[in-house]
């Protein structure tokens, strides 16, 4: 039962930290008044209204153009990203939409909107501490006491990742079977806070996004450090669910959709972090202006 309570707690966090996903395109009129962040409800789909997607470099960075109109954020800010590589990735999201724009598939656009508008008005320190706070409920740190086969599975699959993190960052990360969770040393938090401080604000938005998807800071760090692939990180985050599915079966379409969606979000967040940390420009653009 306590694990169910933790899942509900994680679900609540996802709702509170859910980034925006929408667009505003300049059309020669004043933008609507700003809508409170938590009241904003983006459309899930919209008919495609543009033919061509291109990128241009402006004073503030790289911009996305839908035909001859500049893409804007939900708060009507000019959609400008810091690297050309990220601009190309976002433009590719828009260009790959068919007759209908499916906003819920455009995770990179969502993350950019969140970084530009910052609807929760958090600073760098708050973003870092929100990510490190997940250590208190990190998936890899909560263990079951039975059945024995699952206990062994968690030990075999999760312990190597925790041991990697401890060695990589020279910290101590314990696990626990108690509902109170593991006891994380203060030094561990300080070291990880210092490490995350090396990322810029945009990258931190992506890191927190991945942490909320995987429900694990440890897995996210391993993913960012290329210790794990997206597929491996997702399966490790769903270890108990996959164990239960193997034992009891599953509703095929529901399981497949949930798994693929989690992979897509984790992959997009990881790519976003790396592209936001990239300082060079792309020599040959994939999309012609």
């Amino acid at each position: 039962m306590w694990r169910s309570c933790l899942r509900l707690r994680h679900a609540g966090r996802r709702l509170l930290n859910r980034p925006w996903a929408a667009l505003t395109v300049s059309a020669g009129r004043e933008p609507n008044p700003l809508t409170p962040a938590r009241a904003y409800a983006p459309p899930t789909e919209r008919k495609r209204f543009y033919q061509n997607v291109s990128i241009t470099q402006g004073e503030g960075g790289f911009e996305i153009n839908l035909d001859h109109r500049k893409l804007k954020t939900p708060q009507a800010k000019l959609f400008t990203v810091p690297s050309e590589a990220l601009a190309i990735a976002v433009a590719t999201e828009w260009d790959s939409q068919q007759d209908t724009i499916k906003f819920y598939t455009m995770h990179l656009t969502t993350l950019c909107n969140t970084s530009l508008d910052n609807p929760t008005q958090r600073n760098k320190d708050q973003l870092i501490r929100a990510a490190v706070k997940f250590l208190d409920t990190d998936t890899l740190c909560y263990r079951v006491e039975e059945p024995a086969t699952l206990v062994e599975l968690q030990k075999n699959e999760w312990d190597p990742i925790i041991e990697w993190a401890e060695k990589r960052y020279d910290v101590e990360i314990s696990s626990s079977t108690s509902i109170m969770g593991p006891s994380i040393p203060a030094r561990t938090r300080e070291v990880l806070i210092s490490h995350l401080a090396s990322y810029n604000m945009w990258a931190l938005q992506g890191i927190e996004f991945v942490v909320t998807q995987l429900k694990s800071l440890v897995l996210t760090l391993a993913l960012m450090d290329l210790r794990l692939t997206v597929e491996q990180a997702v399966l490790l985050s769903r270890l108990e669910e996959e164990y239960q599915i193997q034992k009891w079966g599953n509703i095929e379409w529901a399981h497949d959709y949930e798994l693929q969606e989690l992979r897509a979000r984790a992959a997009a967040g990881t790519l976003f972090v790396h592209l936001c940390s990239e300082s060079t420009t792309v020599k040959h653009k994939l999309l012609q202006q």
Side-chain angles (χ1 to χ4, degrees):
M1 180 179 292
W2 64 269
R3 294 185 72 84
S4 298
C5 292
L6 285 175
R7 291 193 187 95
L8 288 174
R9 182 179 176 184
H10 283 306
R13 278 183 175 172
R14 287 199 301 273
L15 288 174
L16 289 176
N17 291 291
R18 187 174 184 178
W20 293 13
L23 84 162
T24 305
V25 179
S26 56
R29 60 186 180 186
E30 293 296 322
N32 291 329
L34 300 183
T35 307
R38 294 185 182 180
Y40 181 77
T44 56
E45 294 186 8
R46 178 179 175 180
K47 184 177 179 180
R48 177 165 173 162
F49 57 90
Y50 55 91
Q51 294 295 322
N52 302 307
V53 183
S54 62
I55 64 173
T56 54
Q57 186 171 8
E59 294 183 2
F62 294 89
E63 303 165 1
I64 310 297
N65 305 300
L66 305 179
D67 292 333
H68 299 293
R69 294 173 288 186
K70 294 184 180 297
L71 184 63
K72 291 190 176 181
T73 71
Q75 289 187 8
K77 295 178 182 177
L78 182 63
F79 191 102
T80 307
V81 300
S83 78
E84 186 179 15
L86 179 57
I88 291 174
V90 171
T92 301
E93 274 192 337
W94 285 91
D95 195 49
S96 64
Q97 300 299 308
Q98 302 301 314
D99 294 336
T100 301
I101 306 171
K102 302 182 186 301
F103 293 103
Y104 51 85
T105 67
M106 304 171 72
H107 303 306
L108 292 175
T109 300
T110 296
L111 285 164
C112 289
N113 280 334
T114 302
S115 296
L116 289 165
D117 285 346
N118 191 14
T120 54
Q121 295 300 302
R122 290 181 296 172
N123 58 32
K124 185 173 183 177
D125 181 66
Q126 290 172 317
L127 280 173
I128 292 172
R129 293 188 180 279
V132 174
K133 181 66 177 175
F134 266 85
L135 275 177
D136 296 330
T137 55
D138 199 291
T139 295
L140 271 61
C141 296
Y142 277 88
R143 305 297 176 88
V144 298
E145 295 180 311
E146 57 180 357
T149 51
L150 181 55
V151 172
E152 187 68 15
L153 184 63
Q154 290 180 339
K155 177 179 176 60
N156 292 339
E157 298 295 331
W158 287 348
D159 280 3
I161 306 303
I162 289 183
E163 290 169 4
W164 166 84
E166 289 180 328
K167 183 178 180 179
R168 167 69 173 80
Y169 300 103
D170 189 24
V171 297
E172 179 184 344
I173 303 174
S174 59
S175 60
S176 173
T177 58
S178 168
I179 189 174
M180 300 303 294
S183 177
I184 305 297
R187 180 181 176 279
T188 297
R189 298 181 192 277
E190 293 170 1
V191 169
L192 295 181
I193 286 173
S194 178
H195 170 71
L196 291 176
S198 66
Y199 289 93
N200 59 45
M201 276 285 290
W202 282 62
L204 287 171
Q205 293 281 5
I207 288 173
E208 191 197 17
F209 178 74
V210 177
V211 170
T212 60
Q213 303 308 309
L214 301 179
K215 307 180 187 69
S216 170
L217 176 60
V218 178
L219 284 176
T220 300
L221 291 173
L223 192 54
M224 299 305 158
D225 208 54
L226 304 182
R227 170 61 177 77
L228 295 172
T229 65
V230 169
E231 290 77 10
Q232 290 171 330
V234 166
L235 286 177
L236 287 173
S237 75
R238 291 172 47 86
L239 192 65
E240 185 174 350
E241 288 86 349
E242 294 297 329
Y243 172 85
Q244 298 295 344
I245 287 170
Q246 290 295 324
K247 185 174 182 179
W248 304 107
N250 67 290
I251 302 174
E252 186 173 350
W253 68 267
H255 168 258
D256 290 345
Y257 176 82
E258 182 179 302
L259 181 61
Q260 295 302 324
E261 178 64 13
L262 182 54
R263 283 178 178 171
R265 288 176 175 271
T270 304
L271 178 61
F272 182 81
V273 173
H274 287 293
L275 293 181
C276 289
S277 303
E278 177 60 55
S279 59
T280 59
T281 57
V282 178
K283 292 183 179 179
H284 302 286
K285 296 179 182 178
L286 300 179
L287 296 172
Q288 297 298 319
Q289 294 184 17

